[in-house]
Amino acid sequence: MENQVVIVTGGAAGIGGAITAELVELGAHVVAVDLNEEAGQDIAKANPDHVAFMKGDISKEQVAKDAVEMAVSKFGKLTGLVNNAHASRQKPLLDHTPEDWALSFDTGFSGTLNFMKAAHPELAKTKGSIVNFGSGAALNGQKNQASYAAAKEAIRGLTRVAANEWAKDGIRVNIVCPLALTEGVEKWKQSHGDQYDEVAAKVPLGRFGDPQKDIAPVVVFLLGDSSQYMTGQTLMADGGGTMLR
């Protein structure tokens, strides 16, 4: 990934932080966009030549534009975009409020769309790659995940359209659906233990993935030249929990 410049939303911690760390380890430059300023400053200070941190709300269109500008001004170009950040609340469908729906769609769908649109001109110059995030919770209709699942499937639809429309520009757009033991999943495990056990029991490889060892390499693959003939695809990085046909 040397000479690659990638924006990672939610890139300071969790899966996003693992992706940032993996990209840096492989020689890439990263603009990490996150609300977690402490984690963002730490990862930037640890890798001052390879990571630029931007604190920002990804649901705001201007934040996406500013991130692209930072990538180009600091590192000279933009070759990749990873739309990882997404906030939501877990509760039964009938208990979802308008605020719950807005949170998930503003940070998930709108955030992804904002960054895709902002990055398009620069990615067209470099024939770059976009990696968006879906979810097995959406594909399987996981209980208590209505707003999250709906936004994730909207992102998958958006991804397929962009893959068709932007192929002429040399931009590839793919989806990763991860299953990883992050801090957020740990909290979910504590609050919805039965659902956690139910999901874990259906994973053929017998475990939740490690963010950097199991998820980040799949994202890196989709960003790099090894996947140059792939676009519009959904890749499950979930230990076999969901096998698409």
Side-chain angles (χ1 to χ4, degrees):
M1 295 301 292
E2 291 183 3
N3 299 318
Q4 302 298 307
V5 180
V6 182
I7 294 172
V8 181
T9 68
I15 291 178
I19 293 168
T20 296
E22 184 74 4
L23 286 169
V24 169
E25 189 173 307
L26 295 173
H29 294 86
V30 177
V31 173
V33 184
D34 208 301
L35 285 174
N36 189 336
E37 186 168 12
E38 182 178 357
Q41 294 292 354
D42 286 345
I43 201 168
K45 289 178 181 177
N47 305 278
D49 296 330
H50 284 265
V51 177
F53 170 67
M54 172 180 288
K55 182 179 180 180
D57 180 349
I58 62 164
S59 69
K60 307 301 183 184
E61 190 172 5
Q62 189 59 47
V63 171
K65 294 177 180 178
D66 291 345
V68 172
E69 183 178 342
M70 176 180 281
V72 175
S73 63
K74 188 170 180 65
F75 301 123
K77 59 183 176 180
L78 180 66
T79 65
L81 167 64
V82 179
N83 283 306
N84 157 76
H86 191 157
S88 67
R89 300 186 182 100
Q90 291 74 49
K91 58 178 66 173
L93 171 59
L94 293 178
D95 292 343
H96 269 64
T97 66
E99 291 76 19
D100 295 330
W101 290 103
L103 174 65
S104 185
F105 272 83
D106 287 351
T107 61
F109 178 78
S110 294
T112 296
L113 177 60
N114 288 341
F115 274 80
M116 288 174 66
K117 289 168 63 179
H120 176 273
E122 295 301 325
L123 293 178
K125 295 177 185 177
T126 59
K127 310 303 180 187
S129 174
I130 298 172
V131 180
N132 294 331
F133 271 62
S135 174
L139 288 162
N140 298 312
Q142 181 68 47
K143 291 179 290 185
N144 296 312
Q145 298 279 11
S147 61
Y148 180 74
K152 286 302 190 189
E153 285 297 273
I155 290 169
R156 286 214 309 145
L158 174 67
T159 297
R160 290 191 291 268
V161 172
N164 278 317
E165 291 188 0
W166 295 358
K168 69 181 187 305
D169 302 317
I171 300 173
R172 297 182 298 106
V173 195
N174 290 289
I175 285 274
V176 170
C177 295
L179 183 68
L181 194 58
T182 62
E183 290 182 7
V185 171
E186 287 281 9
K187 292 179 181 178
W188 174 63
K189 178 182 179 181
Q190 294 171 10
S191 61
H192 298 87
D194 291 343
Q195 284 189 37
Y196 173 89
D197 292 339
E198 181 181 341
V199 172
K202 294 179 180 178
V203 179
L205 291 183
R207 61 181 176 84
F208 273 60
D210 178 271
Q212 186 164 355
K213 294 179 180 178
D214 296 320
I215 310 303
V218 178
V219 175
V220 170
F221 166 70
L222 290 175
L223 290 170
D225 292 340
S226 295
S227 61
Q228 64 183 347
Y229 198 52
M230 295 179 64
T231 195
Q233 303 303 309
T234 296
L235 274 69
M236 306 302 301
D238 68 346
T242 300
M243 299 184 183
L244 297 182
R245 291 174 176 82

